[in-house]
Amino acid sequence: MPATTETTPFRQSALRTLDIEQAAIAGLASKLDGHFDHACELVLACQGRVVVTGMGKSGHIAGKIAATLASTGSPAFFVHPGEASHGDLGMITRSDVVIALSNSGETAEVTALLPLLKRLGTPLISMTGRPSSTLAQHADAHLDSSVDREACPLDLAPTSSTTAALALGDALAVALLEARGFTAEDFALSHPGGSLGRRLLLRVRDLMHQGDRLPQVALGSPLRDALLEITQQGLGFTCVVDPDGLLVGVYTDGDLRRTLDTFHDLRDVRVDDVMTRPGKRIPPDLLAAEAVRIMEDNRITALAVVDEHQRPIGALHMHDLLASGVI
């Protein structure tokens, strides 16, 4: 269908919705107060799990908040409030913290949990659109997610209110993440699958060529030996090592082009005369994603991997990073 710049009723409705929901999120900033700080303190002090609950659309948002907390360093899970009243309350202990969502703050299935939570002594964080509601008044900390109106033109379907609750849940998760000093490696431990886990968990030693696949020639070797090693190993370069086995330079496909511009007869050329000193090198425990950055910054496609004594122990090529899904 051809693109049109004409504003259609569909787009007018969409723009109105986005404007209303944007205003709802912006309005949360003025509602952050000491209750938010206390909510963070309760979660940080929690010795058990964060149990997030909510009914209907709030339940869907609660599930997402639980998932976000769990993946950012605050172990959490979702409990359906209706099921909790019929046995699933056994999942909640006095060591946990409960976050309960209800826009009205009067949802029967959620408020029915209050006496049981109080008996257990489990701290309660509420997230409602009414600070004067039953749920808010009985909570240890209340997060105000109120909005001026729903994006629904009937002001009935949860739209702006659920968007605001979702954003407030993200704000809570990020505040806790930063307070815990949560790192990219911590994040990767709960995301081992897919390209994200590969980018964050794989290290150079997991991907490097080693043993017989490590291209290297001795210092003083004829250039033809270096070219033969490059050809046989197929990594586009070779390490050059001194008599002690230390890496003193590398010779690459790019060096070969420069050599051809300088020498017309290669028969008497030694690799020492044309290699790159000292050559880019990386340790084996470096994250593979960091190796990608080094290659990109230096416009190279391969790196020598060295031990703590600067002896080459492996070689890493851009193709290995591509094949592993790191890039």
Side-chain angles (χ1 to χ4, degrees), residues 167-195:
L168 193 53
D170 286 343
L172 179 66
V174 172
L176 293 166
L177 176 155
E178 293 182 344
R180 294 184 191 279
F182 197 74
T183 67
E185 286 194 56
D186 295 327
F187 190 83
L189 291 174
S190 57
H191 298 77
S195 61

Side-chain angles (χ1 to χ4, degrees), residues 1-6 8 10-11:
M1 181 179 293
T4 174
T5 57
E6 179 184 351
T8 64
F10 295 128
R11 271 179 273 169

Side-chain angles (χ1 to χ4, degrees), residues 29-52:
S30 62
K31 299 181 178 72
L32 293 179
D33 56 17
H35 281 271
F36 185 86
D37 297 335
H38 188 42
C40 292
E41 291 165 354
L42 288 172
V43 176
L44 290 172
C46 178
Q47 298 298 308
R49 298 290 188 268
V50 180
V51 182
V52 193

Side-chain angles (χ1 to χ4, degrees), residues 232-246:
Q232 288 180 336
Q233 301 296 356
L235 298 180
F237 88 111
T238 184
C239 299
V240 182
V241 298
D242 68 11
D244 295 322
L246 303 180

